[in-house]
Amino acid sequence: MAPQTRRMTFPNVVIERDTDSEPSSSDEEEEEEVEEEEEEKVVENKNEERMEEPLEAKKKGKTPITISLKKVCKVCKKVGHEAGFKGATYIDCPMKPCFLCKMPGHTTMACPHRVATEHGVIPAPRRNTRNPLEYVFERQFRPGVLRIKPAFVIPDEVTCAVIRYHSRRITCLEFHPTSNNVLLSGDKKGQVGVWDFGKVHEKMVYGHIHSCIVNNMRFNPTNDDSVYAASSDGTTSCTDLETGISLSLMNLNPDGWQGPSSWRMLYGMDINSEKSLVLVADNFGFLYMVDTRSNNKIGEAILIHKKGSKVVGLHCNPVQPELLLSCGNDHFARIWDLRRMEAGSSLYDLAHKRVVNSAYFSPLSGSKILTTSQDNRLRIWDSIFGDLDSPSREIVHSHDFNRHLTPFKAEWDPKDPSESLVVIGRYISENYNGAALHPIDFIDISTGQLVAEVMDPNITTITPVNKLHPRDDVLASGSSRSLFIWRPKKSELVEQKVERKIVICDRAEKKQSRKYGNKSDDSDDDKFTSKGKKLKSNKPEWKLTRCSGKVKR
């Protein structure tokens, strides 16, 4: 048989003009009229030529392809309008409810929650119950929590940073339990970075520990030099920070890639120091336990969420470690008793409207619960011994976005004795002197008020990963591939003497990455632009220095 070849003829193309477009200025109208006349002539000539071919096209079974140049909304897929960001302004789709509060009748720009975060937040009254656990809580735990809130100390100034530290976007942060100036960071590529921000230039990156996203890290409670990590490659590792030697504790994919239906990824992780257990959860709804003394997996996997859904967060109660809090993509946060863990044995199921990004017990008393959901809500339960059928408060906050971004997670301030201050990044940008900036919000969850929104005109990227220091007034934030350290702003006299050091990791790492065959960062990561617009600001400019040392691997 003779070899078959493809037909090189193509169907007709008809271009439709948008007649509903908005009027432009007089100069632009004249230019558009000239262009339209030229285009009309070209289309007429093409139509005259193609009028001779309709019979042949019908015989060959061809149909004309129509290319529309009309505006199409990316939200509702309808013609005639557009929605999304234009500069620092978010334009709503008129066919959908408000993007921020998810309620119809107004736009995001006119949403009352955008003006006042405490809008609609009503503090729950104290309920009198005869629960014996509530009585024990009042006698033993409540005296340790101050009833009068102290003045909040907000880190609102960038003192040092490492620009383009990682080769991919940062996914998690963890402070060293004893060294105040050491910060650990994990990224999308599986690298673990160790940075001494007290000396700024002392840093290293371990790129051999995991081959995929590092979703969580926890320090060994008995050894400050070792850290546990859970990754999307299905492994749990224990790494010695001094030598960089890593030990794989558990591998859920021993046979390698067998397709997406069988590939297991580890997301949520926490350590129970009393039981010497590392708790990890996967993307199929199962919980695994690893003994830290033998570094081996114990028991069988336990289904704690809907089968086939991610379990993205685990947290043990700081006062009662046998209580475990989990959250996942099945729209639930659940409380478990580790002494009798089995499928369907949860103590409470906290329902949400959408995916739950994180769930944490309060750091001191362990009596409160804070959850972050993708329906733009922060939910607070005042007491785990009271009525958990409904949250005590719901605070509207913009964080409904995690495509190509690390999910937003609201975290407690571990130093706040009143257990009311939380920190979370913001998705919707604000217009600050003509620049679109994404602030980091400090919110008082007892009232719903926005305590502070911190930002820097040089940081134009979104900051979804934020961690408050357990002992110092320091905030660490991960924005794209960069790390920033925030401290409280000092007086003007002292501020002139303080030199803010910013290290840019650029040329040395590029040569090293080419040597090891690494590709550049994804298109989903926002790029840091040091040469931004000259904004009017009273803040001193950063002193940028090039990083001369190579990245250790």
Side-chain angles (χ1 to χ4, degrees), residues 7 14 17 35 38 53 68 78 142 173 196 252 257 259 341 362 372 383 402 479 482 545:
R7 297 180 179 177
V14 180
R17 300 292 299 178
E35 292 177 357
E38 294 178 354
E53 301 180 354
S68 177
K78 294 186 178 180
R142 180 66 73 179
L173 297 174
D196 186 347
L252 300 182
W257 177 259
M341 286 292 297
S362 53
T372 307
S383 176
N402 70 342
S479 182
S482 307
T545 58

Side-chain angles (χ1 to χ4, degrees), residues 496-513:
Q496 292 177 359
K497 300 179 181 179
V498 175
E499 186 179 32
R500 297 196 287 176
K501 298 180 180 179
I502 311 297
V503 180
I504 298 182
C505 299
D506 192 2
R507 298 178 182 175
E509 277 80 356
K510 282 186 178 180
K511 294 179 181 178
Q512 190 78 357
S513 63

Side-chain angles (χ1 to χ4, degrees), residues 27 38 45 62 86 105 108 114 145 155-156 188 194 213 248 305 419 429 431 435 439 461 514 529 548:
D27 296 336
E38 294 178 354
N45 295 333
K62 298 178 185 177
K86 283 192 175 182
T108 302
R114 187 184 181 99
V145 179
D156 54 356
K188 182 181 177 182
V194 184
I213 307 173
S248 180
H305 279 260
E419 295 184 333
S429 61
N431 191 347
T461 51
R514 291 176 183 174
T529 55
S548 58

Side-chain angles (χ1 to χ4, degrees), residues 82-232:
E82 292 179 323
F85 282 102
K86 283 192 175 182
T89 305
Y90 179 81
I91 301 176
D92 273 300
C93 174
M95 304 298 176
K96 297 288 183 178
C98 171
F99 177 80
L100 181 57
C101 67
K102 312 299 181 184
M103 300 296 291
H106 60 269
T107 62
T108 302
M109 295 301 296
C111 181
H113 297 278
R114 187 184 181 99
V115 179
T117 56
E118 69 273 15
H119 176 77
V121 178
I122 302 175
R126 189 65 188 160
R127 292 182 289 269
N128 294 324
T129 63
R130 296 181 179 179
N131 190 335
L133 291 177
E134 183 75 8
Y135 174 77
V136 173
F137 168 74
E138 289 291 342
R139 291 293 301 272
Q140 296 183 6
F141 303 144
R142 180 66 73 179
V145 179
L146 296 180
R147 295 185 179 274
I148 300 176
K149 290 186 296 185
F152 296 127
V153 179
I154 306 299
D156 54 356
E157 181 183 22
V158 176
T159 57
C160 58
V162 180
I163 309 301
R164 294 188 288 273
Y165 180 31
H166 285 272
S167 60
R168 299 292 177 92
R169 60 178 165 87
I170 295 170
T171 55
C172 58
L173 297 174
E174 193 71 19
F175 282 103
H176 197 279
T178 56
S179 299
N180 289 343
N181 295 333
V182 176
L183 176 68
L184 266 67
S185 56
D187 69 1
K188 182 181 177 182
K189 195 176 182 180
Q191 298 176 342
V192 175
V194 184
W195 179 36
D196 186 347
F197 57 86
K199 301 177 182 177
V200 184
H201 289 273
E202 291 195 8
K203 59 186 179 60
M204 63 183 69
V205 176
Y206 297 112
H208 61 278
I209 300 175
H210 292 285
S211 60
C212 199
I213 307 173
V214 179
N215 291 307
N216 261 301
M217 293 186 297
R218 294 290 186 274
F219 274 92
N220 189 340
T222 60
N223 184 6
D224 295 340
D225 291 331
S226 62
V227 62
Y228 294 97
S231 171
S232 291

Side-chain angles (χ1 to χ4, degrees), residues 246-307:
S246 178
L247 173 65
S248 180
L249 306 182
M250 183 177 61
N251 186 3
L252 300 182
N253 305 301
D255 299 329
W257 177 259
Q258 302 293 329
S261 60
S262 61
W263 184 262
R264 292 184 178 271
M265 298 180 283
L266 295 177
Y267 286 90
M269 185 182 72
D270 201 8
I271 295 181
N272 190 312
S273 57
E274 284 197 358
K275 297 181 179 295
S276 300
L277 292 177
V278 177
L279 307 171
V280 288
D282 67 3
N283 58 324
F284 286 89
F286 287 90
L287 173 71
Y288 304 85
M289 300 183 186
V290 178
D291 192 342
T292 59
R293 294 162 295 189
S294 62
N295 288 334
N296 291 322
K297 175 185 171 185
I298 60 174
E300 297 295 330
I302 304 171
L303 183 66
I304 61 174
H305 279 260
K306 183 180 178 180
K307 192 172 183 179

